[in-house]
Amino acid sequence: MPPFRARFWLVAPAIGALAGLLYGLTFGVEPFVAVVRGVFIGAPLMLYERGLMLRRWRALTRRAATPVFAVATLATYVAMIVLGNAVAGTVLHRGFGVMADARSAMMMTETGFAYALGISAFATFVFRVRDLMGPRVFASLLVGRYHRPITEERIFLFLDVAGSTRFAEEHGDLAAQSWLGAIFAALALPVHRARGSIDDYVGDMALVSWSMDRGTRDAACLRCVFDFVRTIEADREGWVARFGAVPTFRAALHCGPVVTAEIGLERRKIAYFGDALNTTSRLEGLAKELDVPVIVSGDLLDRLGPLPADLRAADLGLRPVRGRKEPLRIAALREAGRTGAAAR
């Protein structure tokens, strides 16, 4: 488990305790009792939303339409609230002797339930908006990080689904859209594990990015690609059964400085401007031309330093890239023991 996720098992109870303390001070509940209930009610909710509890159920509900998602998530929250309160009451009664009897210990006041349910409903709405916008975009817009354009260095991944046009011709546009939707849904978890951000979808292409620090840590940006390969391959039979084919793709990675800014008025988004983004797009086209599944720029390899033992880069030399005065050094990337065809 990545360190930041392991730490959250400690952070979640602490936040739950603070929320319980706030509730106790607001409604005149004994602080110790409120804190214990906050830990056992709040922590599971936060762990669930971070994907550390009930992962399959969470993934299933998040793929559903918004009304179904809202009902299913609220039902999950209510179940967690009731169960968490019962466990907290048992701990208070048997462990600390605070409550007179087990029944009263596990009872929840109408005010407490309404408070927890109201917070849960609000959290459901916030998390759905975050899902629709993307966690990074949502957080950035919330704090106004890019309200004024800034220059920053980022790593970009252009991931293009191969054969989508042929698939649409054979199965129709609706089936092709369902196919692409399933592919991009499968991409979400590898990107999340790599601490990246899916910033946009353009046709059959997904744009993923990282800050330089997050993307270079243990070559997370490169590992994301092969994590996605393994995710697809692990369900080969499912893909064939549903769509008649296993998805293949091409990927290109590059890094460099870009200007990042909020754009739009009625519909805001985070947009990037700069040569790094354009070059990554050109590299994806070059990957198609060279018939290379995963291509990475020399600029990014230099920033990464020595590659992990399970990754291999084959130098493809200097190549002219449209829009750049100087040729760019590129390399084909693969996992040790895995042939290049794995991503095709």
Side-chain angles (χ1 to χ4, degrees), residues 144-193:
R145 180 182 180 188
Y146 300 115
H147 185 66
R148 294 179 180 276
I150 66 171
T151 300
E152 61 180 356
E153 286 195 304
R154 295 195 69 82
I155 298 170
F156 293 101
L157 161 65
F158 273 51
L159 192 143
D160 179 63
V161 178
S164 58
T165 301
R166 183 174 64 253
F167 187 94
E169 291 173 349
E170 294 176 357
H171 302 279
D173 290 338
L174 288 177
Q177 187 57 49
S178 296
W179 185 57
L180 289 172
I183 294 171
F184 292 145
L187 175 64
L189 188 54
V191 172
H192 177 74
R193 284 194 286 248

Side-chain angles (χ1 to χ4, degrees), residues 305-322:
L307 291 180
D310 58 332
L311 296 180
R312 300 283 187 272
D315 188 14
L316 298 178
L318 292 170
R319 301 278 178 166
V321 177
R322 185 161 55 90

Side-chain angles (χ1 to χ4, degrees), residues 49-234:
E49 282 301 335
R50 274 303 270 248
L52 298 175
M53 290 181 63
L54 303 175
R55 295 180 186 178
R56 292 185 179 181
W57 171 249
R58 178 177 177 271
L60 181 64
T61 59
R62 289 172 106 79
R63 293 192 187 104
T66 297
V68 176
F69 165 82
V71 172
T73 303
L74 278 176
T76 303
Y77 282 179
V78 168
M80 286 185 168
I81 290 168
V82 172
L83 181 60
N85 182 71
V87 173
T90 302
V91 170
L92 287 167
H93 173 63
R94 295 186 180 275
F96 299 96
V98 175
M99 300 295 183
D101 56 77
R103 180 179 176 81
S104 62
M106 290 188 287
M107 290 294 291
M108 193 173 195
T109 66
E110 293 182 1
T111 301
F113 183 77
Y115 176 84
L117 191 59
I119 293 296
S120 299
F122 177 73
T124 300
F125 172 76
V126 170
F127 284 124
R128 189 55 170 181
V129 173
R130 186 194 66 170
D131 288 344
L132 293 172
M133 298 177 67
R136 176 179 170 271
V137 172
F138 177 75
S140 297
L141 290 175
L142 195 64
V143 302
R145 180 182 180 188
Y146 300 115
H147 185 66
R148 294 179 180 276
I150 66 171
T151 300
E152 61 180 356
E153 286 195 304
R154 295 195 69 82
I155 298 170
F156 293 101
L157 161 65
F158 273 51
L159 192 143
D160 179 63
V161 178
S164 58
T165 301
R166 183 174 64 253
F167 187 94
E169 291 173 349
E170 294 176 357
H171 302 279
D173 290 338
L174 288 177
Q177 187 57 49
S178 296
W179 185 57
L180 289 172
I183 294 171
F184 292 145
L187 175 64
L189 188 54
V191 172
H192 177 74
R193 284 194 286 248
R195 304 191 73 184
S197 169
I198 301 178
D199 292 320
D200 207 355
Y201 302 105
V202 181
D204 58 2
M205 188 274 296
L207 168 61
V208 183
S209 75
W210 290 262
S211 66
M212 194 62 67
D213 175 61
R214 289 188 173 187
T216 56
R217 189 177 304 162
D218 194 30
C221 60
L222 306 185
R223 291 190 183 280
C224 177
V225 177
F226 297 104
D227 188 8
F228 181 49
V229 172
R230 288 189 294 272
T231 299
I232 296 296
E233 291 184 345

